[in-house]
Amino acid sequence: MSNTWKIYVLALVSFLVGTSEYVIAGILDRIADTMNISLVAAGQLISIFSLVYALGTPLLVALTSRIDRRKLLIYSLGLFVLANLFAYALPGFGLFVVARVFMALGAGVVVVTALTVAAKIASEGKQASAIATVVTGFTGSLIIGVPLGRLVAASWDWKLIFVGISVLGILAMIVIALTIPSSEGEAPIPLKKQLALLKQPRILFALFVTFFWLGGYSIAYTYISPYLLSVANMNETLLSSALLAFGIASLIGSKIGGYSTDRWGVKRTLLLGMSLHIVSLISLNFSSQSTVALLIILVLWSFAAWSSGPTQQYKLVTMAPESSGIMLSLNSSVMQLAMAAGAGIGGIAVSQISIQSITWIGAVGVVVAIVIMMISYHAASSNARESTPEAT
């Protein structure tokens, strides 16, 4: 098997992890109905996964840093597969939560290791493309995994989704064991060194932008299926199509965001993308009576939201190019914390206010991200002026 195909296998692994995380939002109402729990309780399955992923991954990656990368990928993927099988087989909401915890622990190590392996086996000069391919697998879960999960849930038992993920995961483990070469682990990066970057205000501001941008997105996205079913009165077929369109728009938005960053810069790309993000979220409440208008706004929302992703990653890497790996790791953890916080806040909004409120509150989160971004740019500009000696 060529290295190109091996990287595609790693992208499939990334796709499975992404599907296990995001599919809950697409079947939230089904989970609530079959488990006799509220939408809010079901929504916290996303919070739990994201929180465990964010806090557990850096620790596990540090503890397993010296293990052979192929073995670590197989072991962590094995834990992920077992957790998905438990999610299918174990009865009750409580045990499903336990399965989600182990799923998240395995998933975090799987993604980090897959990215590392992809970079190592890629041809010289193509490491970045290999990493992008693996990341695209994760993004692809929004395009294929979530709408496919909705179709499975509508036609059969939603728990079969996790059986499918397990089967594909086992196949991936076999292929990895047979084709991926062994590679030594790396010296662990002390947690103190990783957290030292947070002492720099500009980096802290940038991570806060990530938190509020993605948190605002997560507040609304977590409850997108019940929102479209109850507020927009969508049927199952249309809902699956809407989720598919949403996923495709996220991929296009990510690509355009990267292109825009190269052509027009970080500040302009983020400002335009997050502004459209806010407008789209607010507009959802005024387009629910027209299916066509709602689908257009939904696509614009996904496009705008994900256009900020590559831009933020690029911005963080350029802030500390000598510590790019640590910066991406910190940003990944903050993104997962934002998903967890967004799902939690969205749950409070649904239970205490109304499901329509999630788009308004989500928009507020993105507004805060813009405010923080502008404050950081103003502070950087002021510091630059102060450090420039006056002309004599």
Side-chain angles (χ1 to χ4, degrees):
M1 179 183 285
S2 69
N3 284 345
T4 299
W5 282 104
K6 293 173 187 176
I7 292 170
Y8 286 144
V9 171
L10 296 175
L12 170 63
V13 170
S14 182
F15 167 81
L16 296 177
V17 169
T19 299
S20 70
E21 178 172 10
Y22 293 129
V23 75
I24 297 296
I27 58 173
L28 206 62
D29 57 306
R30 297 282 176 167
I31 294 175
D33 290 342
T34 56
M35 289 192 164
N36 295 316
I37 57 175
S38 66
L39 280 175
V40 175
Q44 299 323 298
L45 291 169
I46 295 176
S47 290
I48 292 166
F49 187 102
S50 297
L51 193 60
V52 173
Y53 189 116
L55 300 179
T57 299
L59 180 60
L60 287 178
V61 168
L63 291 174
T64 58
S65 62
R66 297 188 184 277
I67 299 177
D68 176 274
R69 298 296 92 180
R70 181 179 66 181
K71 289 182 179 179
L72 181 58
L73 188 55
I74 293 172
Y75 295 158
S76 56
L77 190 52
L79 175 61
F80 176 73
V81 166
L82 282 175
N84 276 275
L85 289 174
F86 288 153
Y88 170 75
L90 298 178
F93 180 68
L95 292 176
F96 189 71
V97 168
V98 173
R100 289 287 287 176
V101 168
F102 286 101
M103 206 182 295
L105 290 173
V109 181
V110 164
V111 171
V112 173
T113 310
L115 290 169
T116 304
V117 171
K120 286 188 175 184
I121 66 175
S123 303
E124 187 64 31
K126 294 187 177 180
Q127 289 89 347
S129 296
I131 291 173
T133 299
V134 176
V135 172
T136 300
F138 200 89
T139 308
S141 63
L142 280 171
I143 302 172
I144 301 172
V146 175
L148 184 61
R150 184 71 204 187
L151 285 174
V152 171
S155 303
W156 300 287
D157 181 357
W158 60 267
K159 281 196 170 187
L160 287 174
I161 297 167
F162 299 101
V163 175
I165 291 174
S166 299
V167 170
L168 291 175
I170 291 171
L171 291 176
M173 289 173 66
I174 295 172
V175 174
I176 289 168
L178 295 175
T179 63
I180 299 295
S182 296
S183 59
E184 294 182 0
E186 301 171 347
I189 300 173
L191 187 60
K192 184 178 180 180
K193 182 179 179 181
Q194 296 183 46
L195 298 179
L197 291 169
L198 298 179
K199 296 179 181 179
Q200 300 183 36
R202 62 195 187 100
I203 291 177
L204 199 58
F205 271 121
L207 290 172
F208 272 126
V209 171
T210 292
F211 181 84
F212 284 100
W213 146 62
L214 195 60
Y217 167 84
S218 178
I219 289 170
Y221 179 72
T222 300
Y223 295 92
I224 187 62
S225 288
Y227 179 91
L228 294 176
L229 287 169
S230 62
V231 177
N233 296 315
M234 281 191 177
N235 57 38
E236 282 291 343
T237 302
L238 190 55
L239 176 57
S240 296
S241 299
L243 292 175
L244 176 61
F246 189 94
I248 293 172
S250 71
L251 180 60
I252 296 173
S254 181
K255 293 291 185 183
I256 297 298
Y259 172 80
S260 175
T261 302
D262 290 335
R263 188 173 179 84
W264 295 295
V266 170
K267 182 179 179 180
R268 190 175 298 180
T269 301
L270 285 178
L271 188 59
L272 182 61
M274 288 194 286
S275 296
L276 183 58
H277 190 165
I278 294 166
V279 172
S280 300
L281 281 172
I282 294 174
S283 299
L284 280 173
N285 283 302
F286 301 103
S287 57
S288 59
Q289 301 305 313
S290 170
T291 301
V292 174
L294 185 65
L295 287 173
I296 292 173
I297 297 300
L298 201 64
V299 166
L300 283 176
W301 171 34
S302 180
F303 173 88
W306 287 100
S307 70
S308 301
T311 311
Q312 267 296 96
Q313 289 182 338
Y314 173 79
K315 179 182 179 181
L316 285 161
V317 167
T318 55
M319 281 182 165
E322 73 287 352
S323 305
S324 59
I326 299 176
M327 292 298 292
L328 290 175
S329 176
L330 287 172
N331 191 54
S332 178
S333 291
V334 170
M335 289 176 73
Q336 292 295 334
L337 288 173
M339 293 289 288
I345 294 170
I348 294 173
V350 170
S351 62
Q352 301 296 323
I353 308 173
S354 69
I355 197 166
Q356 290 95 327
S357 68
I358 57 175
T359 57
W360 293 97
I361 299 174
V364 170
V366 186
V367 168
V368 173
I370 289 181
V371 171
I372 292 173
M373 183 185 74
M374 298 310 294
I375 290 174
S376 67
Y377 274 111
H378 177 73
S381 178
S382 298
N383 290 336
R385 286 196 300 269
E386 290 175 2
S387 62
T388 302
E390 295 183 3
T392 57

